[in-house]
Amino acid sequence: MKKQNLWKHFISLAIGVTLLFQASLSVTAQTMQISGRESQKLAGGAVTGDDGDALANGFVIQNGTLKKYMGVVKKVVIPKGVTAIGEEAFADQMLTEVIIPKGVTSIGERAFSGCDGLEEIVIPEGVTSIGKQAFSYCVNLEKVILPQSMVSIENEAFLECENLPDIKIPKNVAKIGRRVFGRCSRLSKLKVDVGNRNYYSKNNMLFDSKKSLICCPCGKSGNIRIPKGVTSIGSEAFAYCTKLKNVVIPGSVKTIGKQAFYLSELKSITMQQGVKSIKTEAFHGCELDRIRLPKSLKSIGPGAFNACKLKTTLTIPKGVKTISADAFSESSLKGIVIPDSVTKIEEGAFKYSNLKKIAIPDSVTKIGEGAFYYCDRLRSVKLPRNLKKIEKETFYECKNLKSIAIPGKVKSIGGGAFAYTGLKSMVLPEGIKKITSYVFFGCKNLESITIPGSVKKIDSWMFDDCSKRLVIHGKKGSYAETFAKKQKITFSEM
């Protein structure tokens, strides 16, 4: 009898342990499914967690917003009742098809970004907005249908959809963000519904109601003539248009926007009289062989012609007052003519360029740091009479610069200003009180330098790695003589 009771007790205990283990597994499974850490598809029904999320057939839904798709099915039908597709809901999923139901009003930021299996997307009526980069990097997307309800398409919404050949903008769209169709390399046809009051299209290019050119599709090739009446070329309008050869800009255009032709590989451009302003990096990286700037031009922005070929001599129009930072840096520019309207040349304006000679007008009172940095073909420079300071590294590594005359008004020379140049001799003007570090460092050809009596301090490493035949010329008893003796450099009394 005791044995039988003991056996019943053992069976009851085993059943209890089994039930407890199964309950534990169930809780664990639900936790994994709700948390979103595992891509598991539920057999049916919706599971609700403490945070209010619902997970059904791989969809995490909260208050009508589809937060995340965690399923494995590649052809997806979004459940009815969803009113918004949330941020990154399907990002980087291996989808081949998605059906969006009526009732959805918005598609969130990066919602379908990186879904490179998608070939077609039909956005239903009722959707009013597409978020930033919503369909970016959908590299196989070939067809997009936008609804008449669409109002806003945010920045880079279709960035790098490189197989998209055409697109039509509906009549109610009131906002098109920056680079919406950026780097869509096949896109050549862009149309706007004739009923749209905010945008219009002409020659498959997009314009806004203010007659600004917003976008030229990257797939357009050959020669382009911008229509008369257009008032400006917007930021990045022609960016990455790698098939263009020539663009004619009419006189009605007053402004060429920031990065307007960025890396477009444009060969030549014709600007008619009327253009007044070229903004930052407008022609950065273009394959421009030639360009003639119009007399109407008043400003050239930073990096405007950075990394352009420009193998000819360029004439800056009168009226331009500043050559901005990096304006012609890394260009193949052989020569430049600067008018006396220019008063300032900013940092790095010509650095790494192929300039061989330059004459800077006396109207220029300031030349920025590194303005001619590493111009290793530069042989001849005429500095302006009114220059008061030579900034840091202005002519650094100009290996072919053999001589240069320092204007009499110069009172200061920045560190490394002439380091690693090909200078053979140098005469410093009276009035300079201090010579900063590294000014002539590495000038292996420097054999003669005249230092005035006004100099009261010469920093260390001034003539390190210079010619061993270097002679310092100066007045007897001057600081220059003291420095020469201390550094064991030959001194010659003037």
Side-chain angles (χ1 to χ4, degrees):
M1 191 73 178
K2 287 182 181 181
K3 286 184 179 180
Q4 191 176 22
N5 289 336
L6 183 62
W7 178 247
K8 287 182 179 180
H9 179 73
F10 177 77
I11 292 174
S12 298
L13 181 62
I15 292 172
V17 169
T18 301
L19 290 173
L20 183 63
F21 180 71
Q22 288 177 341
S24 177
L25 285 176
S26 177
V27 171
T28 301
Q30 287 186 10
T31 301
M32 289 170 68
Q33 291 159 349
I34 293 170
S35 70
R37 293 193 181 98
E38 298 291 333
S39 298
Q40 295 187 13
K41 181 181 176 183
L42 296 184
V47 180
T48 303
D50 294 336
D51 57 1
D53 287 356
L55 178 61
N57 296 326
F59 297 104
V60 178
I61 301 168
Q62 182 182 42
N63 299 324
T65 297
L66 198 166
K67 292 285 191 176
K68 190 70 179 175
Y69 176 63
M70 298 164 57
V72 295
V73 177
K74 295 182 178 180
K75 294 183 178 181
V76 174
V77 178
I78 295 174
K80 291 180 179 181
V82 170
T83 57
I85 299 173
E87 181 177 332
E88 298 188 356
F90 293 91
D92 301 315
Q93 296 277 0
M94 296 301 293
L95 301 182
T96 57
E97 185 180 344
V98 61
I99 296 175
I100 303 173
K102 288 184 179 181
V104 173
T105 60
S106 65
I107 298 174
E109 185 172 330
R110 287 182 47 81
F112 294 92
S113 180
C115 292
D116 52 16
L118 275 181
E119 294 182 2
E120 179 179 334
I121 186 79
V122 177
I123 300 175
E125 288 296 332
V127 175
T128 60
S129 65
I130 299 176
K132 295 178 182 178
Q133 296 191 351
F135 295 93
S136 60
Y137 308 106
C138 291
V139 294
N140 288 304
L141 193 61
E142 295 182 355
K143 185 176 181 179
V144 173
I145 297 178
L146 301 176
Q148 292 300 318
S149 57
M150 185 63 62
V151 175
S152 173
I153 306 173
E154 298 295 336
N155 295 349
E156 301 181 334
F158 296 93
L159 177 70
E160 223 165 294
C161 291
E162 57 189 42
N163 273 297
L164 184 65
D166 56 75
I167 193 81
K168 186 173 183 180
I169 307 297
K171 66 179 181 180
N172 291 313
V173 172
K175 180 185 177 183
I176 297 176
R178 184 177 64 87
R179 297 178 69 200
V180 166
F181 305 107
R183 284 184 271 175
C184 292
S185 55
R186 274 192 66 200
L187 186 65
S188 59
K189 295 180 180 180
L190 195 159
K191 301 291 183 181
V192 178
D193 193 302
V194 292
N196 194 302
R197 296 180 180 181
N198 303 292
Y199 299 95
Y200 67 96
S201 58
K202 193 169 184 178
N203 298 335
N204 289 302
M205 292 185 287
L206 177 66
F207 303 84
D208 67 14
S209 58
K210 296 179 181 178
K211 296 185 176 181
S212 177
L213 199 165
I214 302 300
C215 173
C216 175
C218 291
K220 281 183 73 69
S221 60
N223 303 322
I224 289 180
R225 183 178 289 270
I226 295 172
K228 292 181 180 180
V230 173
T231 57
S232 66
I233 298 173
S235 298
E236 302 173 282
F238 289 86
Y240 298 98
C241 289
T242 58
K243 301 173 185 177
L244 292 184
K245 291 183 178 179
N246 174 263
V247 172
V248 177
I249 300 176
S252 58
V253 170
K254 306 302 178 188
T255 303
I256 299 175
K258 180 180 178 181
Q259 295 185 337
F261 293 88
Y262 189 87
L263 294 178
S264 68
E265 297 187 18
L266 189 66
K267 301 294 183 183
S268 66
I269 189 162
T270 302
M271 293 186 207
Q272 296 178 356
Q273 296 298 328
V275 176
K276 293 184 177 181
S277 175
I278 298 174
K279 300 296 185 181
T280 302
E281 294 187 326
F283 296 95
H284 173 95
C286 289
E287 295 290 315
L288 282 174
D289 289 325
R290 58 184 176 84
I291 186 173
R292 178 175 290 182
L293 300 177
K295 293 179 181 179
S296 56
L297 192 64
K298 301 297 181 185
S299 67
I300 299 173
F305 295 94
N306 174 265
C308 287
K309 283 186 176 180
L310 291 175
K311 293 179 180 179
T312 58
T313 296
L314 184 68
T315 299
I316 304 293
K318 290 184 178 181
V320 174
K321 295 182 179 180
T322 300
I323 297 179
S324 300
D326 298 304
F328 298 95
S329 63
E330 300 181 58
S331 71
S332 300
L333 200 64
K334 288 185 177 179
I336 190 163
V337 178
I338 302 175
D340 56 14
S341 59
V342 173
T343 60
K344 183 167 58 174
I345 298 173
E346 294 187 337
E347 304 85 52
F350 299 96
K351 72 181 181 184
Y352 293 109
S353 72
N354 287 340
L355 277 177
K356 291 183 178 180
K357 63 178 181 178
I358 187 167
I360 304 172
D362 292 337
S363 56
V364 173
T365 58
K366 182 179 179 180
I367 299 175
E369 289 185 13
F372 299 93
Y373 185 98
Y374 218 106
C375 291
D376 56 1
R377 297 186 183 185
L378 190 62
R379 296 176 180 273
S380 173
V381 177
K382 177 189 172 295
L383 294 175
R385 288 186 300 173
N386 295 314
L387 191 65
K388 295 181 180 180
K389 183 179 181 181
I390 297 176
E391 299 285 353
K392 178 182 178 182
E393 297 182 340
T394 300
F395 296 98
Y396 186 95
E397 200 104 27
C398 291
K399 297 177 180 179
N400 280 295
L401 186 60
K402 308 297 183 184
S403 64
I404 190 170
I406 308 297
K409 293 183 180 181
V410 170
K411 305 299 180 186
S412 173
I413 301 177
F418 297 100
Y420 296 105
T421 59
L423 289 173
K424 292 183 177 181
S425 64
M426 171 64 71
V427 177
L428 300 178
E430 189 69 41
I432 290 181
K433 295 181 179 180
K434 179 183 176 181
I435 306 176
T436 317
S437 294
Y438 302 103
V439 170
F440 299 101
F441 188 93
C443 293
K444 295 182 181 297
N445 297 324
L446 188 63
E447 295 182 359
S448 172
I449 184 167
T450 300
I451 300 176
S454 57
V455 172
K456 302 301 179 184
K457 182 173 177 57
I458 301 175
D459 283 347
S460 55
W461 302 296
M462 180 57 54
F463 299 107
D464 282 32
D465 205 22
C466 286
S467 172
K468 294 181 179 180
R469 296 188 296 274
L470 177 64
V471 176
I472 294 177
H473 302 272
K475 294 180 179 179
K476 185 175 178 59
S478 66
Y479 181 84
E481 182 180 15
T482 303
F483 176 84
K485 290 180 178 179
K486 185 177 179 180
Q487 297 295 321
K488 296 181 180 180
I489 299 172
T490 302
F491 180 78
S492 176
E493 182 181 344
M494 290 193 300

